[in-house]
Amino acid sequence: MTKEHLIPATEFCVNHQIELSFINSLHDFGLIEIISIQQTAFLNPEELPKLEQILLFHQELEINLEGVEVIIHLLERVRKIQHEMNMLRNRLDLYENL
């Protein structure tokens, strides 16, 4: 991914009125990926929905980072299970229609 497609972390922080240290904390918890180019932190645009969801949990619902980490991991597990269920349903439908 080229630098043109990345979002400067400082720009995201200004737009969402948060400190850069919060983004660094999320990275330390393993919740988001920070890409460093020439000592400047960038965010992958694909992570923005997840990052905004984290901000909602933390700011609006006042959930601490440990709680946010648990919620995000549980939501990812639910998505994986739902995907697996859909695949199994499709396979079952295929066999039932034979």
Side-chain angles (χ1 to χ4, degrees), residues 2-98:
T2 63
K3 185 177 177 181
E4 293 83 32
H5 293 103
L6 299 173
I7 298 169
T10 53
E11 183 179 318
F12 182 87
C13 291
V14 168
N15 289 336
H16 288 82
Q17 300 174 349
I18 60 172
E19 297 291 326
L20 185 58
S21 61
F22 181 71
I23 297 292
N24 290 328
S25 296
L26 295 176
H27 176 70
D28 293 342
F29 272 87
L31 295 173
I32 63 167
E33 180 182 341
I34 294 178
I35 301 163
S36 295
I37 301 174
Q38 297 176 349
Q39 297 183 344
T40 303
F42 290 91
L43 301 169
N44 186 339
E46 293 174 3
E47 287 198 340
L48 290 183
K50 180 180 177 182
L51 185 51
E52 289 176 350
Q53 186 178 44
I54 291 169
L55 284 174
L56 173 75
F57 289 144
H58 183 68
Q59 292 178 333
E60 300 295 323
L61 301 177
E62 298 179 1
I63 299 173
N64 63 18
L65 289 182
E66 291 83 2
V68 170
E69 180 182 24
V70 170
I71 292 169
I72 294 298
H73 287 295
L74 288 173
L75 287 172
E76 288 174 3
R77 285 182 58 193
V78 167
R79 284 187 199 108
K80 287 178 184 177
I81 290 169
Q82 286 175 335
H83 178 71
E84 186 177 337
M85 278 181 34
N86 287 336
M87 286 182 14
L88 292 172
R89 275 193 192 118
N90 290 340
R91 289 173 79 188
L92 181 61
D93 288 344
L94 177 69
Y95 288 111
E96 286 180 345
N97 291 329
L98 289 179

